Amino acid sequence: MPRFSVIVPCFNVQGFLRECLDSVLGQSFRDIEVIAVDDRSPDGSGAILDEYAERDPRVRVLHLPENVGLGRARNAGMPLATGDFLFFLDSDDTLTPGALRAMADRLAETGDPDVLVFDYARTYWWGGTRRNALARVLAEAGEGTFTAAERPEILDLLMVVWNKLYRRDFVEAHGFAFPPGYYEDTPWTFPVLLTAGRIAVLDRICLLYRQRRQGNILSTTSRKHFDVHDQYERVFAYVDAHPELASWRPYLLRKMGEHCLDILAKPDRLPPADKAEFFRRTAELFRAHRPADTPADGAAAALEGSWAAYRLRRQAARTGRELGRRARQGRRAAARGVKGGWAALHTRRPLDENLVLYSAFSHRGVLGDPAAVHRRAQEIAPHLRGVWVVRDAEQARRAGLLPPGVEYVLPGTLRFRELAARAGYFVNNVNWPDVPGKRPGSVHIHTHQGTPLKFMGADLLAKPGARHGLDVPGMLRRADRWDHSLVANLHSELVWERAYPCRFASARTGSPRNDVLVRARAGQGGEPGAAVRARLGIPADHTVVLYAPTPREYRRGGYAERFDAARLAADLGEGHTLVVRLHPSLANGPARGLGLTELHRRGVLVDTTDEPFVEEVMLASDVLVTDYSALMFDYAALDRPIVLHADDLGAYTASRGLYVDITAEPPGHVARSYRELAWLLASGSWRDTESARLRAAFRARYCAFDDGWAAERVVRTLILGERDWTPPGPAASGTVAASAPPGAAQVPAQLSGHGRLAPS
């Protein structure tokens, strides 16, 4: 008896059917049966099903003699099911890799509940992907089981059948079945969830819900949408037949009203001539089932009035929104005038040579190179007033990105414009998007975000896919403000001067944020990674593999899963911990919902994407596995092994562009497939003599100016103007370029044109 019976009704889906079936049959979890129901489809769907059944014994095809509709096609497949759990999959949707394994593991963990609810993401015909807007309901539901009465918010999720698994014995015991007509999921889902004694959730995107440009039945303009009234009549009939559910009637009445009014409000559902009738039918249903002592609230309150009153309210709401929009535009324009005038007043005042304005990662908080510079400035030049530009102070505090006592200002405020007009120094790792024009004498120090491997700046003009949404000319105009561009190697110096053809001078300071890595390599400060490991719950004796992939420009949204992280964690075996850190651009997208969050919860791996300081994550690891992430250049400063996974080098180079073929002069061994990667890690080759040789050559090229004194070098030479300063001694031998004496300040001669508060 299989674990899952996947019931797939098919009608006019020949263009999507193969993708759907492949996503099921290609799963790593194979204890399934597929019951494909050909609902008398006039296209080639039936033939495709027969083809799959011939080559895979897990597929069984049922050809119906006549078209019966989606609900009844599902009913036809249920008697053939022998699995422990039923899964109703629409034939134009697909499963995500590893979804069935995650479901099976969660069912085992929760002791086979009546219903398992999992997450999904919408995939649009134009290529976009958007996660379920109410994913937090699953994240907050806890690890055990519950009833709908204990967590009623579970009913706020989309009332569909395909985001759930149903224990077959439970379904058969209660005789649940699908009715005919549109919205057939409604009289199934509400009774099932209200009746279930044990519900569990899986906070993982297991299904991709295809949003077709055409062909979606529910987006068809038709009177068939009147079926929703009959479906809710069935829901109320079920409640009437089960007195223990009577308390749910007010809730269901409100949901019915909201659902019907939502259908009415959509422009593509009902013929215009039928909208008044639909409103009246909805109002009649509302009155028929409304308990006498239950007040109408929320959107459903509109059903107590007339169709004319409803239309007037909607028109008034639209008018109000438009007036509000125009008023906001006027206020913003007036505010810009006031702020501009305020800033102009302050430009008449002298620059404050002790005021340093800091920002990092578009005002996220105290991070990166600017943070390292700020910390060192506080120690050696306490007279300097450092102010951070922070977009959301409360969020930054919660994330640990705004330490107590740090002075900050919100961007766009009058105080920000005052400080920006008078600051003598600006330190940032991205362009300043909202700073007024550069005043003569102010000094802009641009730290970047590491060594460039991928095309940047003006070089993106040749890569239209990579620069999608980027205003490259505007980026260069803002870069014209730079006085100093920090570099850790000659490669960076050459690239930045090419990618940003502006008037700055390169400062061979090293990367300030890497000082901690260089000093850790030199054995200074004890074992800095031990505390991080303890906080992350990683055993002290484990070998920690850090996997840090970079986004792909050839995929909309940037996320491309190159291999199954759960498989890698398993292949690493005992005594190893897999730590995953996604690129910040992927942190809030669907990538983590595609298994990473669930694997972290189960302890299969450790997700450190939200860890604010990547330096700490690097210190806690023993080896880095990455593809084309610039993190490898920082990690090299630690002198710990690096493995490249470059299975799509050609596609990545064509879409984004690489300044060097990183596989020709790699920081360690290169894997061009998952099989090679797994072998490198399992065999121990990742830390052999050849790996050390490659890493040493790589570090000599790309960590040439990283000697552990970068932050202090920036403060003393670029802010305090101590041109002859040299560090007391190198933090670690072998990090400074061979052409420079150990401990020498790596500030080039061309910087002499940018004196302290001198016009640039």
Side-chain angles (χ1 to χ4, degrees):
M1 185 170 66
R3 188 59 164 157
F4 299 138
S5 293
V6 185
I7 299 175
V8 187
C10 306
F11 182 80
N12 270 357
V13 287
Q14 63 179 10
F16 308 105
L17 185 53
R18 292 182 186 277
E19 186 179 359
C20 172
L21 294 174
D22 289 344
S23 76
V24 177
L25 299 173
Q27 293 276 314
S28 60
F29 185 86
R30 300 184 59 80
D31 187 17
I32 63 172
E33 64 178 2
V34 176
I35 301 169
V37 183
D38 173 18
D39 191 16
R40 196 64 176 178
S41 184
D43 65 357
S45 296
I48 293 173
L49 295 178
D50 291 337
E51 173 193 331
Y52 273 78
E54 286 181 7
R55 66 172 187 249
D56 195 319
R58 295 176 296 169
V59 180
R60 180 176 181 181
V61 181
L62 175 63
H63 294 281
L64 299 182
E66 61 180 358
N67 176 255
V68 297
L70 181 58
R72 289 181 171 178
R74 290 169 177 160
N75 291 340
M78 276 196 283
L80 305 180
T82 61
D84 297 328
F85 283 84
L86 303 176
F87 178 21
F88 301 100
L89 177 64
D90 286 355
S91 48
D92 55 353
D93 295 337
T94 56
L95 295 184
T96 60
L100 293 182
R101 167 56 64 189
M103 294 178 192
D105 290 345
R106 183 64 175 138
L107 290 173
E109 186 179 43
T110 53
D112 284 7
D114 297 329
V115 181
L116 175 69
V117 185
F118 52 82
D119 206 3
Y120 66 92
R122 298 174 188 264
T123 58
Y124 295 87
W125 60 270
W126 42 266
T129 300
R130 182 169 63 87
R131 190 176 186 180
N132 165 28
L134 292 177
R136 59 170 180 77
V137 172
L138 301 178
E140 297 168 359
E143 298 187 7
T145 61
F146 55 88
T147 65
E150 291 167 338
R151 288 192 175 274
E153 59 271 18
I154 198 69
L155 299 176
D156 291 333
L157 296 174
L158 192 62
M159 283 292 105
V160 290
V161 66
W162 41 255
N163 66 343
K164 304 171 184 71
L165 292 181
Y166 310 89
R167 188 164 52 81
R168 183 166 60 88
D169 292 346
F170 166 70
V171 171
E172 292 175 351
H174 292 275
F176 294 123
F178 293 93
Y182 280 19
Y183 304 99
E184 72 288 336
D185 287 5
T186 298
W188 168 283
T189 308
F190 277 119
V192 164
L193 289 179
L194 294 178
T195 304
R198 299 175 67 244
I199 302 171
V201 302
L202 173 60
D203 181 20
R204 184 194 194 278
I205 298 174
C206 295
L207 182 141
L208 300 179
Y209 175 32
R210 189 186 302 274
Q211 306 293 288
R212 293 156 64 178
R213 184 171 181 268
Q214 293 180 345
N216 186 334
I217 294 175
L218 292 183
S219 294
T220 303
T221 303
S222 166
R223 282 186 60 87
K224 286 288 290 179
H225 292 283
F226 279 80
D227 285 358
V228 71
H229 299 127
D230 293 336
Q231 307 297 20
Y232 273 102
E233 287 283 14
R234 293 184 173 97
V235 173
F236 289 120
Y238 185 86
V239 171
D240 289 340
H242 297 79
E244 70 275 11
L245 301 179
S247 62
W248 285 101
R249 183 177 293 276
Y251 173 85
L252 294 171
L253 193 69
R254 177 170 59 81
K255 295 292 284 188
M256 182 276 296
E258 292 173 351
H259 190 177
C260 292
L261 290 176
D262 182 62
I263 295 170
L264 184 62
K266 285 184 165 53
D268 59 350
R269 299 295 170 88
L270 293 162
D274 295 325
K275 289 191 172 185
E277 180 186 352
F278 186 89
F279 179 87
R280 287 192 293 271
R281 288 274 301 276
T282 303
E284 290 170 1
L285 182 64
F286 186 82
R287 288 192 294 269
H289 292 284
R290 176 183 170 187
D293 58 345
T294 303
D297 58 0
L303 295 170
E304 292 189 312
S306 65
W307 164 245
Y310 169 76
R311 292 184 64 190
L312 285 174
R313 276 195 295 270
R314 282 186 57 81
Q315 181 59 45
R318 282 194 294 268
T319 301
R321 286 194 297 270
E322 177 61 21
L323 291 174
R325 184 184 66 82
R326 294 181 181 180
R328 287 192 297 273
Q329 286 179 333
R331 287 194 296 270
R332 282 195 293 266
R336 282 194 297 269
V338 170
K339 292 172 183 175
W342 184 261
L345 287 174
H346 285 282
T347 58
R348 300 193 184 101
R349 299 173 62 187
L351 289 172
D352 184 348
E353 64 180 26
N354 292 321
L355 175 59
V356 186
L357 207 59
Y358 294 94
S359 179
F361 299 103
S362 301
H363 311 324
R364 277 184 58 208
V366 183
L367 285 165
D369 289 308
V373 173
H374 178 229
R375 285 193 295 269
R376 198 69 185 122
Q378 287 181 307
E379 295 170 4
I380 65 176
H383 65 281
L384 293 176
R385 178 190 176 193
V387 181
W388 279 83
V389 183
V390 180
R391 190 171 304 281
D392 187 330
E394 187 57 38
Q395 181 179 357
R397 285 194 192 93
R398 289 197 301 269
L401 301 181
L402 187 59
V406 171
E407 186 178 358
Y408 70 93
V409 64
L410 301 179
T413 61
L414 289 174
R415 181 166 174 266
F416 164 77
R417 290 182 173 266
E418 173 190 349
L419 293 172
R422 300 201 58 227
Y425 296 91
F426 295 79
V427 182
N428 200 346
N429 66 358
V430 296
N431 259 317
W432 292 93
D434 43 14
V435 168
K438 186 177 187 296
R439 287 187 66 182
S442 64
V443 176
H444 284 239
I445 300 171
H446 192 75
T447 71
H448 302 283
Q449 297 178 37
T451 294
L453 174 61
K454 299 164 277 194
F455 277 16
M456 306 290 285
D459 291 328
L460 289 174
L461 292 173
K463 298 291 181 181
R467 64 176 168 84
H468 179 71
L470 290 177
D471 177 11
V472 175
M475 183 188 304
L476 297 180
R477 285 193 296 272
R478 290 189 290 273
D480 283 333
R481 303 169 182 157
W482 301 353
D483 292 290
H484 306 304
S485 166
L486 306 191
V487 297
N489 48 68
L490 291 176
H491 163 80
S492 295
E493 183 172 322
L494 296 175
V495 167
W496 294 136
E497 291 181 5
R498 162 188 163 144
Y500 293 94
C502 304
R503 294 186 293 271
F504 60 83
S506 294
R508 299 176 181 178
T509 59
S511 297
R513 71 185 182 284
N514 286 349
D515 287 348
V516 65
L517 304 181
V518 175
R519 294 176 184 276
R521 183 169 70 84
Q524 299 177 10
E527 176 49 59
V532 183
R533 288 190 182 205
R535 178 165 54 79
L536 296 175
I538 301 173
D541 60 343
H542 271 211
T543 297
V544 178
V545 179
L546 170 60
Y547 175 50
T550 199
R552 264 59 172 179
E553 276 70 19
Y554 61 76
R555 289 289 298 271
R556 185 181 288 274
Y559 182 67
E561 190 173 52
R562 306 310 307 165
F563 55 78
D564 184 354
R567 180 181 177 186
L568 176 60
D571 288 345
L572 289 175
E574 293 293 327
H576 293 75
T577 295
L578 176 62
V579 172
V580 178
R581 185 178 181 87
L582 296 180
H583 189 273
S585 66
L586 302 175
N588 297 318
R592 297 170 79 180
L594 288 166
L596 191 59
T597 299
E598 175 65 10
L599 294 173
H600 175 83
R601 184 192 67 80
R602 290 171 44 211
V604 175
L605 51 76
V606 177
D607 176 13
T608 61
T609 304
D610 286 337
E611 285 293 312
F613 307 111
V614 68
E615 298 86 357
E616 294 185 351
V617 178
M618 289 191 280
L619 288 169
S621 66
D622 296 298
V623 55
L624 170 67
V625 176
T626 188
D627 34 42
Y628 321 110
S629 171
L631 195 68
M632 72 178 79
F633 299 103
D634 303 313
Y635 200 83
L638 270 172
D639 194 23
R640 295 180 187 177
I642 301 172
V643 176
L644 290 188
H645 182 239
D647 66 331
D648 63 342
L649 179 64
Y652 189 86
T653 303
S655 61
R656 175 62 192 254
L658 295 179
Y659 288 113
V660 297
D661 179 357
I662 197 63
T663 63
E665 297 178 330
H669 290 296
V670 179
R672 298 186 183 273
S673 68
Y674 176 76
R675 183 176 181 179
E676 290 183 15
L677 175 63
W679 179 85
L680 281 170
L681 295 172
S683 66
S685 298
W686 57 274
R687 54 184 171 188
D688 61 11
T689 303
E690 177 63 6
S691 169
R693 185 192 69 79
L694 292 170
R695 188 166 68 255
F698 187 86
R699 195 173 66 254
R701 281 193 301 273
Y702 296 111
C703 303
F705 308 142
D706 279 332
D707 63 351
W709 297 96
E712 185 160 348
R713 183 174 290 115
V714 170
V715 175
R716 291 191 181 277
T717 64
L718 303 185
I719 298 179
L720 300 181
E722 300 176 12
R723 294 298 180 195
D724 298 327
W725 177 84
T726 58
S733 60
T735 58
V736 182
S739 60
Q746 303 296 315
V747 182
Q750 67 261 36
L751 286 178
S752 59
H754 296 283
R756 188 168 187 250
L757 296 181
S760 60

